[in-house]
Structures are given as structure tokens and as C-alpha cells.
Amino acid sequence: MPNFIFSKVYDSPVKDVFDWHKNILALERITPSWDNILFENRSTQTNNFLQDGKLTLIQEILPFIKLKWVIKHSKYIENESFYDEMLKGPFKSWKHKHVFEELNSASTLIKDEISFSSWINIKKLNEFIVNKIKKSFNYRSMILEHDLKNKIENTNKNYVLMTGATGAIGQSLMSYLNSLGYKIIFLKYSKSSINAPVIEEYVNDSDDILTIKWNPYHKNTLELPKSISKKIKFLINLAGENILGLWTKSKKKKISNSRIQSTRSLYRLAVKSNLNFDCCIHSSAIGFYGSNPGIDIDEGHPTGKGFLALTTNLWEKEQDKFRDLTKRNIHLRIGNVLSYKGGIIGSIKTPFKLGLPGYVGNGENYLNWISLEDILRIIGFSFCNKTIDGPVNAVSPNPIKSKYFFSTVARKFGWNFTLKIPAILPKLFLKELVEELVLVDQSIKPKKLIHAKYEFFNTDLNKALDNILGS
């Protein structure tokens, strides 16, 4: 039976390291995106998931080919060890032992031991599986090390109020905030909701993550119960329709309303619930600036022209109303987010995998990117850094010409060429979208983050793509 062993020392007490693994979304947090896993269901008979929890996972290994895993935790010893065993899945057997050893009062060794048996016992296949596991554990250890160093002491059990948690950023952000020690209240959009404050636990017998159904378009304003409203100290507003797709009049209305109307409704909720925040962070976009070829743009640059610039400007004006309710109010102007499941990579990965990598136009326009992991860390950093306020450019300090961006992505998928698509072709059908999203030329600098000494996780595009694609 093949075995895999991974050991790593962390500069944290054993209790802190072990407690981190107790977080509801710990596994979601450390699972790399290239493993392509959906966490479908979890259940437990106690309030300690590591003791007897059962987890159902769906893993997509190829387009339209998905594998189901059912895993159960057992053999739990506080601050020492716990086990995972596959009850159902793609292997004949799969066992994972987690061992925690206290080296001294501020240092802990974690030893992971995995033994598995494939249905087809081929040496090359087993070696391939072990190499994939090793790559995943290298990533996992990097994430865990960061989160342990940045863990907060949430002794007052304060909450983050959050919208948009089902989106590409929101799903990952929930697990990130959970790993740092924040409690979360997720306003979950429900078209049928009349905004009655019905609170649901994300996991039974745990108040770490709570969900409340919310309809920002209903005439009733949701009022949060006083028992939890007084504990809410942070706001993350990520609500908004995906801007990708055919820009019909109806689609553009959804893009606009989903941002402006939901922010307006959220403000009324905050006022009615007497919320007072330490920090509010609203998602915005670099579309605020429009196209500005030939110049560097920082947060002081005025708004540009076009549908996205107009929408983003109106959106931020609604967000400005929160200044009366918070010590700091941040407009996070987000660039092209690099994520396996969404954003620009999610949109192009299928044609690139199929051998059709390419770019539109001459490729000389600058593209501003940011890794998903950096977005998460910027939000956590902004909660704690009191110098961060107002508009903040959430982009890598290294914008890149689009032809180089797409050729770099193409190489990660195994292609040494890119197709140059004349801009006139897509503009015949999608003129406005192509000009504002595909051909827009901006060289944007994250001046405020650099000044605040934020340390980027990814400044090199090659390394960023490796962390996303596992290449």
C-alpha cells in the first residue's frame, strides 16, 4: 500500500495549531483550487467536527467527470491527533493520520501520514498520485503558516456581516475569515424572502457562521436581532451581478441594480439595526477609471467614461453613505481576479485546454491582475491596518500587456502559441463589452497598499498561475 508522509514545523503553540484545524471551514481554506473540489455536505453528532464529523466532497477530474468522496473523522485526541478515513470514493482505501507534536511552548510539528490503495495497482499511477498529494501539501503548509501568523484574538466574539458569500471571492473569503478567528453572519440572497430575521446555523450547534435570508429588492427592511447586531463590527459587501455575458439592456440593468440597489438596501438594514462598524469594505472595480492608455493610475485618478465607469461611480456614491456608520469605509477597486473557478481564468480555461489559446486585438493594452489569495489577504490586512481608508486599488503592482498575459496562461496549459483575434470580429456583436472589458487599456498602481506596506502573496504572474493551476 503506497504511503505519503509530510512534516512541517510551525512557530505557534500546539493548542493554537490544533485549534486552527477545528475551524468549520479549515479544509476549504487549505485545499488548493487545482484539486477542483466542491464541499457538498458536512454533518456531526457533536459540536466538534474533528471528533466524529462526516464530509461529502465532489471532485471534478475532467470536464463532466466527477468523483464523490465521503470522509469520516475519528480517533480524536485533543492537541495530539485525529484521523480521516474514506468511506466511499475513487480509491479502494484511503486513510489520513494527522499528528501534532509540541516541540516547545511556541513551536509545533505537524506530521501527515496518508496510506492509500488504488483499484489498479500500477507503480507509475501510484507515483503520479503521490506527486499530486505532495504538491497539494506544499500549498497547504504555506497557507496554514500565513494564517497562524495572522490569527486574531476574537475574545469579544465579534461578527463580520457579509453579502455576496456565494461568489468566487465570497466563498474563499468565508473560509479565510473563519481561519483567522472571525465569526460571520452571511446575508444570503433569497428572492422569496420578506426580510424576516430568521437565523440559521451553517453547521449544527455552532454560531461561528450564521446565515440570514435577505431580499434587497423587497419593500421591507431587514432588522437584525439586537442579540447579534451589537456584536457586528465589520462589513464586507460583495453583492453584484457578474459583468460577464451578453450586455443586453436587461443584463446591464441587472449589473447596475444588483450593486446600487443592494448597497442602498444594506445601508437601510444597518441604520434600522443600529449597527456601528469599525470598518466597512465594499467591492468596487477598476472599471471606475475607464480606459487611460499611456499613464499610470493611482487611487486619486478621476472616474472615466463608459457604462462600467458610470455604474462604478454611482455604486461608490451609495457606499459613501456608510461613512456615518463606520470609522473607516473602503472601496476595494478590484482588478482581474485570478481564480481557477471564476474570473478571467475561469472564463478562458476551456478553450485554452482545448488548444485554442488567444487574445483579442494587438495585445498592447495593459491588463491589471490580482490573485484571489491576495484579495483575501488584502481584506484581512485592511481590517487591522487603520491607515487604509477610501478607495483602494486591489491589483498586482505589476500590470502586464494582454498579449504577454494570455501567452503566459497558454504555456501553463501546454501551448507555445496564441491566436491573435482581430478586434473587429467580436466588436461586430459585442462592441461595448469588448471595448470596456477586453480592449480597455489601464496601468493601475496599488499606491495605498504599497504605502501601508502590504506584502503581496503574488507579484509574479508565473508563480500566481502555478498557485492557481497547480502547474
Side-chain angles (χ1 to χ4, degrees), residues 236-274:
I236 298 175
N237 177 19
L238 300 175
E241 171 83 7
N242 194 324
I243 61 173
L244 298 177
L246 189 63
W247 279 10
T248 61
K249 286 184 179 180
S250 174
K251 174 69 172 179
K252 288 169 71 174
K253 186 177 181 180
K254 284 183 180 179
I255 291 172
S256 179
N257 285 352
S258 65
R259 287 161 171 76
I260 296 168
Q261 183 60 36
S262 64
T263 301
R264 192 175 292 160
S265 177
L266 186 60
Y267 176 75
R268 290 198 298 266
L269 178 158
V271 171
K272 190 172 183 179
S273 304
N274 294 311

Side-chain angles (χ1 to χ4, degrees), residues 150-190:
N150 290 275
K151 186 174 176 62
I152 64 158
E153 293 299 327
N154 192 5
T155 54
N156 296 324
K157 301 188 181 301
N158 291 328
Y159 278 95
V160 178
L161 182 64
M162 186 174 175
T163 69
T166 57
I169 295 175
Q171 289 181 8
S172 297
L173 183 59
M174 281 237 294
S175 62
Y176 177 64
L177 294 176
N178 176 242
S179 77
L180 295 186
Y182 292 99
K183 290 176 173 285
I184 301 163
I185 298 172
F186 165 35
L187 295 180
K188 186 176 182 179
Y189 172 68
S190 171

Side-chain angles (χ1 to χ4, degrees), residues 36-102:
N36 217 6
I37 289 175
L38 172 68
F39 294 82
E40 186 177 64
N41 185 42
R42 50 165 43 85
S43 61
T44 179
Q45 300 300 314
T46 68
N47 60 0
N48 186 344
F49 188 70
L50 294 185
Q51 195 166 340
D52 65 350
K54 186 183 290 186
L55 187 64
T56 303
L57 313 173
I58 305 296
Q59 183 174 27
E60 184 176 317
I61 57 170
L62 290 170
F64 311 113
I65 300 179
K66 298 179 180 180
L67 304 175
K68 186 174 184 177
W69 294 67
V70 179
I71 297 171
K72 183 170 175 55
H73 294 306
S74 63
K75 300 181 182 178
Y76 176 92
I77 303 175
E78 182 79 10
N79 297 331
E80 291 186 18
S81 63
F82 65 93
Y83 285 68
D84 308 328
E85 183 174 2
M86 187 194 74
L87 303 180
K88 179 181 179 182
F91 290 88
K92 196 172 182 179
S93 68
W94 177 284
K95 295 179 180 179
H96 182 179
K97 181 180 180 182
H98 309 253
V99 178
F100 300 76
E101 180 182 342
E102 182 179 19

Side-chain angles (χ1 to χ4, degrees), residues 241-403:
E241 171 83 7
N242 194 324
I243 61 173
L244 298 177
L246 189 63
W247 279 10
T248 61
K249 286 184 179 180
S250 174
K251 174 69 172 179
K252 288 169 71 174
K253 186 177 181 180
K254 284 183 180 179
I255 291 172
S256 179
N257 285 352
S258 65
R259 287 161 171 76
I260 296 168
Q261 183 60 36
S262 64
T263 301
R264 192 175 292 160
S265 177
L266 186 60
Y267 176 75
R268 290 198 298 266
L269 178 158
V271 171
K272 190 172 183 179
S273 304
N274 294 311
L275 300 183
N276 289 286
F277 303 101
D278 288 340
C279 181
C280 293
I281 298 179
H282 311 267
S283 65
S284 184
I286 58 174
F288 176 91
Y289 302 112
S291 195
N292 288 273
I295 61 171
D296 287 339
I297 298 171
D298 62 26
E299 289 88 350
H301 199 83
T303 188
K305 296 179 181 179
F307 168 69
L308 290 180
L310 173 63
T311 300
T312 310
N313 190 27
L314 293 173
W315 190 16
E316 289 193 5
K317 285 181 179 179
E318 289 295 329
Q319 296 169 2
D320 278 333
K321 294 177 181 178
F322 284 81
R323 288 224 164 265
D324 297 335
L325 309 176
T326 185
K327 295 173 184 177
R328 293 181 293 121
N329 198 48
I330 297 169
H331 313 293
L332 205 60
R333 294 175 180 166
I334 301 172
N336 290 283
V337 179
L338 304 189
S339 164
Y340 187 83
K341 295 181 180 178
I344 190 168
I345 300 298
S347 301
I348 66 174
K349 67 182 180 185
T350 298
F352 275 55
K353 281 182 178 179
L354 296 173
L356 296 171
Y359 60 89
V360 176
N362 61 16
E364 293 294 325
N365 57 308
Y366 277 92
L367 188 149
N368 300 270
W369 61 275
I370 182 80
S371 71
L372 175 59
E373 180 64 23
D374 266 313
I375 289 291
L376 310 183
R377 295 186 183 191
I378 287 167
I379 290 172
F381 178 81
S382 299
F383 275 173
C384 300
N385 191 307
K386 295 181 181 180
T387 67
I388 301 289
D389 199 6
V392 175
N393 290 335
V395 294
S396 161
N398 298 316
I400 187 171
K401 288 185 177 181
S402 64
K403 63 182 179 183

Side-chain angles (χ1 to χ4, degrees), residues 101-125:
E101 180 182 342
E102 182 179 19
L103 301 181
N104 55 55
S105 60
S107 184
T108 303
L109 170 71
I110 298 182
K111 185 177 180 181
D112 290 277
E113 300 179 31
I114 295 176
S115 59
F116 65 91
S117 176
S118 303
W119 292 104
I120 303 173
N121 189 18
I122 301 174
K123 183 179 179 181
K124 288 288 185 182
L125 175 61

